[in-house]
Amino acid sequence: MTVTTAQPDKGDWRQRWATLTPVGVEVHALIQPLQEGVLADRAAAVAALARLRRGVGKPAGSVQEILQYTVSDAFAGPDAGDEPTPAETAAHVALTLYSLHQQSRNNRMHQRGFGLGRSLRMLHPTEFDTTIPPVLRRFQTLGSSQSLEELVHHLRGAVQLLRPAEIPLDYAALADDLLWWQRRGGASRVRLRWGREFFRTPRPADSADGDAPETREPEPDLD
């Protein structure tokens, strides 16, 4: 399996999200069939999503019934110790938050290219005025998180804002962001990426150009 979906086009900031680590690739591969199953109202997929929701806010590896989705060679190699690896934690958070986001939604809530900054800004697509809007405060709170636990708490709140608006999120990219966040200096890198998306996104013309969230169209194949 290849690691990237396409060669990034440096002239288009949105294409930077095309590149995934093996963790993001695996998360995407796990979510895709779940998402298709839920949209087709298949009982197995709906039940799997319900099980994943039981892991929201809980540590990776602590919920036995979701290990089939959150344990993978891509997340932990044969030399992993007794504690969850950073990749397992990232995947656990991404998959469980996706299950919360997709609950009772008829559109794809996982879509490639919808990074966190971009999706949150879509809640407030107009220019900011002198009054700080709630979504900007939410974004600033996310960025100021001092620990992964604090960040995950605020991410859950962000997902609960995106869900009723049916704005998708790229959970494969989110898994990669969470992986980076756990590395030395990685949090600053993730904050910068989210900030670039948030303050450059979106303009009303974007949607007119066909950049609106997808509904039932097939997603690009990672292979």
Side-chain angles (χ1 to χ4, degrees):
M1 177 179 290
T2 56
V3 174
T4 60
T5 57
Q7 290 298 316
D9 177 0
K10 295 180 180 178
D12 185 345
W13 64 270
R14 289 167 296 192
Q15 293 302 315
R16 297 172 194 169
W17 293 98
T19 304
L20 293 173
T21 73
V23 172
V25 169
E26 182 74 356
V27 167
H28 182 75
L30 288 165
I31 288 179
Q32 271 198 309
L34 275 176
Q35 184 161 250
E36 297 310 313
V38 168
L39 295 178
D41 199 25
R42 298 187 189 110
V46 173
L49 216 63
R51 288 195 295 273
L52 279 167
R53 282 196 294 276
R54 295 170 195 156
V56 174
K58 297 179 181 175
S62 65
V63 182
Q64 175 72 25
E65 59 191 321
I66 66 171
L67 292 181
Q68 68 187 92
Y69 305 105
T70 59
V71 172
S72 165
D73 287 342
F75 307 148
D79 299 327
D82 295 333
E83 298 298 321
T85 66
E88 285 176 321
T89 296
H92 172 90
V93 173
L95 286 160
T96 54
L97 287 181
Y98 163 71
S99 70
L100 184 66
H101 198 164
Q102 188 66 60
Q103 183 181 14
S104 302
R105 301 294 95 178
N106 294 322
N107 295 326
R108 289 182 172 85
M109 294 296 97
H110 164 59
Q111 288 190 34
R112 295 286 292 122
F114 285 84
L116 183 69
R118 180 186 182 192
S119 292
L120 285 178
R121 184 57 190 270
M122 290 175 72
L123 291 167
H124 188 99
T126 58
E127 298 292 342
F128 296 135
D129 54 26
T130 56
T131 303
I132 297 178
V135 68
L136 179 54
R137 285 199 295 271
R138 172 74 66 176
F139 182 73
Q140 291 170 336
T141 301
L142 262 169
S144 64
S145 299
Q146 297 300 308
S147 68
L148 182 66
E149 291 73 19
E150 184 181 354
L151 176 66
V152 171
H153 172 75
H154 292 310
L155 281 173
R156 182 175 182 176
V159 167
Q160 289 171 330
L161 290 177
L162 296 174
R163 182 173 169 274
E166 298 203 344
I167 295 174
L169 184 61
D170 186 337
Y171 283 91
L174 180 64
D176 279 354
D177 289 341
L178 291 168
L179 185 61
W180 275 108
W181 190 280
Q182 296 173 79
R183 296 175 177 171
R184 180 176 295 181
S188 296
R189 174 176 174 165
V190 173
R191 288 188 188 102
L192 177 60
R193 185 159 57 206
W194 287 348
R196 285 172 174 167
E197 279 220 338
F198 186 84
F199 289 106
R200 295 179 184 180
T201 304
R203 297 292 181 272
D206 289 344
S207 296
D209 292 339
D211 203 24
E214 298 176 14
T215 53
R216 304 298 296 270
E217 295 300 320
E219 293 188 4
D221 193 341
L222 282 172
D223 294 324

